[in-house]
Amino acid sequence: MATMTTGNPSRADANRRRILDVALAELLRDPDASMDQIARAAGVVRRTVYGHFPSRDALISTLTDEAVQALADADVAGRTGVTDPAEALARSVLALWATADRYRLLIALAQRTVTVQGIRERLAPVRAAKIRLLQQGLEEGVFTSPLPAPALAYVHEQTLFAVMEAVNDGLLAAEEAGRAATVTVLTSAGVPASLATALVTRVSSHP
């Protein structure tokens, strides 16, 4: 593996950031984009890319880490200050989807390299927050489910992955997916469909 030439740390950091930004755009455009393609698009030589990322899988893993962090930030921002569990869940899922939609092709690609288990492990902090929210809703009677909160959180997580795959496969329009996924999550937590739909419509109109 080529070693990265030492030099100005700020330039190295700027190169790394540019490579990541360009790699995300290139992989979303062409999931099979090679390291050579990414290097050309970033305006650097192949050796520079490998100096930061020893393999294509390592590059995708780093992008996945950034995507998961963006999801965690969106989750917190979406539900902060909201006390009603159903509204907090709706706002959280809508915020998560808005971020996930940007990365959904990357996440599909990462499942071939990072593995689903690896993505699931990265999502542990987001899932822990969701479990606490679901537990609160179950205790308050806002949610009803035969599943305990940790299992219900897994169902919700897999629902979002499934909706992403449905969009990627052309079975659902991307612009409809966020609201549809949120209603689905709410109804799976025991919220009546009519109430879930009305809540999502209200929350979407007043973000």
Side-chain angles (χ1 to χ4, degrees), residues 66-75 77 92-105 107 164:
E66 292 198 346
V68 169
Q69 184 58 55
L71 289 171
D73 293 344
D75 172 54
S92 168
V93 175
L94 286 168
L96 283 169
W97 182 264
T99 300
D101 188 49
R102 180 186 177 214
Y103 291 105
R104 59 186 164 80
L105 292 175
I107 293 171
M164 278 190 278

Side-chain angles (χ1 to χ4, degrees), residues 14-132:
N15 274 342
R16 184 178 188 276
R17 183 69 262 160
R18 174 165 175 73
I19 290 166
L20 284 170
D21 290 343
V22 169
L24 177 60
E26 287 297 301
L27 289 166
L28 293 182
R29 182 183 62 80
D30 175 11
D32 295 319
S34 67
M35 294 288 265
D36 284 341
Q37 286 176 260
I38 291 168
R40 286 196 299 272
V44 298
V45 296
R46 187 168 179 261
R47 178 180 176 181
T48 300
V49 177
Y50 277 104
H52 290 282
F53 306 100
S55 68
R56 186 172 180 274
D57 285 359
L59 174 59
I60 291 172
S61 181
T62 300
L63 287 170
T64 303
D65 286 339
E66 292 198 346
V68 169
Q69 184 58 55
L71 289 171
D73 293 344
D75 172 54
V76 172
R79 58 185 168 77
T80 295
V82 181
T83 56
D84 174 63
E87 181 175 344
L89 182 59
R91 290 186 178 278
S92 168
V93 175
L94 286 168
L96 283 169
W97 182 264
T99 300
D101 188 49
R102 180 186 177 214
Y103 291 105
R104 59 186 164 80
L105 292 175
L106 170 67
I107 293 171
L109 176 62
Q111 289 176 341
R112 289 161 26 193
T113 54
V114 179
T115 76
V116 173
Q117 184 59 33
I119 295 173
R120 180 173 288 161
E121 290 170 357
R122 286 166 166 80
L123 287 170
V126 177
R127 188 183 310 114
K130 198 66 70 258
I131 290 170
R132 290 191 294 272

